[in-house]
Amino acid sequence: MLNRRLAFPVLALVAIMLLAAAALAQETKKFAVVPFSYTGPQKYSYFPKAFQASLNNDLEWGGHVVPASSSVVDSIPAPKGKADAVKTLASTGIDYVISGSIAILDKEANLRIMAVGSDGSSWENKGQMPIDEITPWLDAQSKSIMGDVFNRPGYSTAETKAKNTDITDGVTNPTEPGGSQFIMANDDQYQADTLNPQFRYEGGSETIGRWRSQTLRFFSTSMVVSDGDGDGKNEVFILHKTGISAYRYEQGKLKHLDTLELTPSTQYLRLEAADLDKDNIPELIVGTYQTQYRSALKSPEGWPKSHVLSFSSGKFKFLVKDYNRFLGVLRLPPMYTPIMVAQDKGVRHLFGPRINEAYLKGSEIALGQSIPTPEYGNLYNMTYLPDEFGYKYVVLDDFHRLNVYSQTMERLSSTKEERYNSSGLGIETNDRPMGMGPGSVDETTNTYNVPFRMIAASLTQKGKYELLVNKDLSVAAQVFERFNYFSQGEIHALVWDGVGMNLAWKTRRIKGQVSDIGVADLNNDGKKQLCVLLNTFPGGMGFSNRKTVVLAYDLNAQ
């Protein structure tokens, strides 16, 4: 039996806890997103459910406004107007209901969205846009509802306009100060004045401090921002499904300069830039891979095909074509100058055992000395992270886990569950027993998923380097081991803390497949931005017909 002296304090504590829980429950409001009405072709009939799922995710404000249960939402008919919505809220006990309509005609979308509160307050907006632009429009409406309807600080239309005074065509320039695209880690040593305030604060408009290009109608794999023609202004070079294209930032958009089709029926793996002939103008190095399938066993057989290009007077020109090794760039210590490197195709594995320095000699490539590498290291998955007076090797293994090695090749740490920099590019290779020829019944087929580049950059403190990587985010990839298309990502800046790689800061969640990253002056204003190559999906809800968008985040770095 409970001691009588203890009974009263215990009962009092329980009562306080129950009252606190009740108060918390009263403070948390609920919203319901009902499926939008739809008019249009059958192939887009999944839009209403997709909009519902997207808005449920974007409108949730933990501890303040949360989605109602699916059983309640399913019982709510789409309101015919504001009065009907208020009656629905009164009968269900929900605080907000969001509804709307979708009409698709050819490639144009007409959208309407309405939010009504139980107190009779309402918000409504309409828009007309190409189908490819539905996702950013819907994201913008989510932010407006959060601020104007849910009263979340920093999200209202008035606050957004006050902060965002230099917008062209609805898209901010990458040099705008402030914003909330970045979330800073809880560690005072990384709270540096040289970083954009958006690294430190959560909240505010998602467009502040971020620029977004127009949609480019192709699937892309790699990107370089560099002054390819030596005129003092950077171009944006994008490697895509049929070749390479050059753009320049003008009036808030990417202006197309030239496109060169490369080897047909190939996979485009990596685009790099390095000054190979020492004329202070970088050349472009393109790594590709061709695959053929033997008809008998459907077994893949492939080989690398690499190219070196110049970009002069606004046009691409081949310097080396169809080189039979993988080509890439490593920034070798101690100067960390970009050096072209080459690697043979392996026998049992995709990559051969050695990486060699490579030099451009007229129209030929000459190999130099070999470069030491730790286990799993190849020219596409390895980088050097400066660390005080030395450096660390960082390697992404076949499972896209980060492995850190000392200068003596001793493995120091490895991430366990986190996966980084998956590009979605899979190369099938044969693993056949030694001495067996092609088509052996004992051979197996493996798929190597090529990662995109990691970036070592000093952004928060002078002389202290962070490793910029993309954290892969996908529910499907957590279920299916070989699934390597990621519908969302976050750029993480990781630092070596003596034990492992620790988070310094990260971007807010990016919707789409992140395919490449870089730190460069994209808009030629003298300041570098964090540049992100992104593959979007139709409406953000599919994996076919992928298209390209370039994002640039203001770093405010000195």
Side-chain angles (χ1 to χ4, degrees):
M1 183 178 292
L2 184 66
N3 189 306
R4 291 184 178 180
R5 294 181 180 180
L6 296 176
F8 180 75
V10 170
L11 292 173
L13 179 61
V14 171
I16 292 172
M17 293 174 65
L18 291 173
L19 289 172
L24 182 61
Q26 290 176 358
E27 291 176 1
T28 303
K29 297 182 178 181
K30 294 183 179 180
F31 70 87
V33 180
V34 299
F36 285 27
S37 62
Y38 174 73
T39 304
Q42 178 65 28
K43 63 181 179 179
Y44 299 121
S45 60
Y46 65 92
F47 273 11
K49 285 291 186 182
F51 277 32
Q52 183 184 35
S54 179
L55 288 168
N56 271 329
N57 180 64
D58 292 345
L59 293 175
E60 184 171 0
W61 180 15
H64 298 272
V65 187
V66 298
S69 66
S70 57
S71 59
V72 173
V73 176
D74 291 343
S75 66
I76 299 176
K80 298 178 181 179
K82 177 182 174 182
D84 191 24
V86 172
K87 290 181 181 178
T88 298
L89 293 172
S91 63
T92 59
I94 295 175
D95 300 282
Y96 306 100
V97 64
I98 293 90
S99 61
S101 63
I102 311 165
I104 305 294
L105 180 61
D106 195 15
K107 296 182 179 180
E108 291 289 317
N110 286 277
L111 306 176
R112 180 184 66 86
I113 185 169
M114 180 178 69
V116 178
S118 57
D119 59 356
S121 60
S122 64
W123 175 97
E124 185 174 1
N125 200 9
K126 299 178 181 180
Q128 181 177 357
M129 71 224 65
I131 292 176
D132 294 339
E133 303 298 328
I134 289 178
T135 297
W137 185 86
L138 197 63
D139 289 344
Q141 308 320 303
S142 299
K143 304 304 175 295
S144 296
I145 294 173
M146 292 279 276
D148 298 340
V149 180
F150 297 171
N151 297 316
R152 182 170 181 175
Y155 281 71
S156 70
T157 304
E159 289 173 293
T160 300
K161 288 182 177 179
K163 294 177 182 177
N164 192 4
T165 58
D166 183 24
I167 296 181
T168 302
D169 295 331
V171 182
T172 61
N173 292 327
T175 54
E176 283 192 23
S180 60
Q181 290 305 311
F182 298 81
I183 302 172
M184 201 69 180
N186 295 322
D187 194 328
D188 291 340
Q189 66 171 314
Y190 303 117
Q191 302 287 348
D193 293 334
T194 57
L195 281 179
N196 190 328
Q198 63 188 345
F199 282 60
R200 306 189 189 111
Y201 302 115
E202 191 169 359
S205 172
E206 242 188 41
T207 57
I208 297 298
R210 187 192 73 171
W211 170 82
R212 179 186 185 276
S213 76
Q214 72 272 26
T215 300
L216 306 175
R217 297 179 180 276
F218 50 69
F219 162 63
S220 58
T221 60
S222 193
M223 175 182 68
V224 162
V225 179
S226 184
D227 181 9
D229 54 9
D231 66 350
K233 294 183 178 180
N234 284 335
E235 289 79 35
V236 180
F237 300 100
I238 298 178
L239 195 63
H240 51 80
K241 66 178 182 179
T242 59
I244 182 172
S245 295
Y247 299 84
R248 180 173 289 164
Y249 177 90
E250 287 188 8
Q251 298 181 345
K253 294 186 177 181
L254 292 180
K255 178 185 177 181
H256 179 256
L257 303 177
D258 190 31
T259 293
L260 176 67
E261 290 193 4
L262 299 176
T263 311
S265 303
T266 189
Q267 288 181 283
Y268 296 96
L269 308 180
R270 181 67 62 87
L271 175 64
E272 297 277 9
D275 183 9
L276 304 181
D277 54 10
K278 309 304 178 186
D279 63 351
N280 295 318
I281 300 176
E283 282 70 43
L284 300 168
I285 299 103
V286 180
T288 76
Y289 192 83
Q290 287 184 291
T291 304
Q292 286 185 346
Y293 291 89
R294 296 190 297 274
S295 58
L297 298 174
K298 300 294 183 182
S299 180
E301 193 69 38
W303 55 90
K305 290 287 186 182
S306 299
H307 317 285
V308 179
L309 310 173
S310 65
F311 185 75
S312 179
S313 302
K315 295 293 181 181
F316 291 106
K317 178 184 177 182
F318 279 108
L319 300 178
V320 177
K321 187 176 182 180
D322 292 339
Y323 182 64
N324 62 354
R325 291 184 174 91
F326 294 104
L327 287 180
V329 165
L330 290 176
R331 286 152 179 81
L332 301 180
M335 301 304 295
Y336 301 100
T337 303
I339 300 295
M340 183 166 66
V341 294
Q343 192 167 8
D344 285 317
K345 182 179 182 295
V347 178
R348 296 199 64 183
H349 303 283
L350 179 61
F351 296 96
R354 288 189 302 275
I355 301 176
N356 288 84
E357 295 183 18
Y359 304 97
L360 182 64
K361 302 291 185 181
S363 60
E364 302 292 331
I365 291 177
L367 298 183
Q369 64 182 2
S370 63
I371 299 170
T373 59
E375 59 182 345
Y376 309 120
N378 63 60
L379 78 173
Y380 292 147
N381 74 350
M382 183 179 74
T383 194
Y384 300 89
L385 180 65
D387 182 31
E388 296 182 350
F389 299 107
Y391 61 89
K392 300 288 190 296
Y393 293 97
V394 183
V395 174
L396 283 164
D397 65 19
D398 289 356
F399 297 96
H400 290 250
R401 296 173 300 206
L402 278 176
N403 295 273
V404 181
Y405 299 83
S406 69
Q407 290 178 223
T408 60
M409 309 291 181
E410 177 189 2
R411 188 163 71 169
L412 303 175
S413 73
S414 177
T415 57
K416 295 181 179 179
E417 298 180 358
E418 293 84 0
R419 299 176 64 181
Y420 299 93
N421 286 35
S422 295
S423 66
L425 290 173
I427 295 179
E428 290 187 340
T429 59
N430 292 322
D431 184 3
R432 67 175 66 98
M434 297 298 293
M436 302 298 291
S440 168
V441 294
D442 294 322
E443 75 177 19
T444 59
T445 299
N446 297 321
T447 300
Y448 177 75
N449 293 287
V450 183
F452 58 87
R453 82 190 79 233
M454 299 176 283
I455 302 291
S458 178
L459 299 176
T460 53
Q461 291 183 2
K462 186 176 181 180
K464 190 169 185 67
Y465 283 78
E466 297 115 53
L467 183 72
L468 302 183
V469 293
N470 176 66
K471 185 176 181 181
D472 305 323
L473 299 173
S474 170
V475 174
Q478 294 172 10
V479 177
F480 304 106
E481 183 179 353
R482 290 175 178 253
F483 188 92
N484 282 281
Y485 292 113
F486 292 85
S487 57
Q488 298 182 86
E490 293 173 351
I491 309 302
H492 285 204
L494 307 176
V495 293
W496 176 253
D497 63 1
V499 178
M501 300 302 293
N502 206 6
L503 178 66
W505 53 265
K506 66 178 181 178
T507 65
R508 289 183 171 278
R509 189 159 295 188
I510 301 170
K511 294 185 178 181
Q513 168 98 39
V514 176
S515 298
D516 207 351
I517 55 176
V519 176
D521 183 7
L522 182 143
N523 66 340
N524 296 300
D525 70 341
K527 299 178 182 178
K528 292 184 177 182
Q529 294 89 40
L530 170 62
C531 306
V532 179
L533 182 68
L534 187 70
N535 281 294
T536 64
F537 308 106
M541 305 149 196
F543 295 104
S544 61
N545 300 319
R546 288 167 287 176
K547 296 178 176 62
T548 292
V549 168
V550 178
L551 305 178
Y553 296 83
D554 180 17
L555 292 169
N556 283 1
Q558 296 178 346

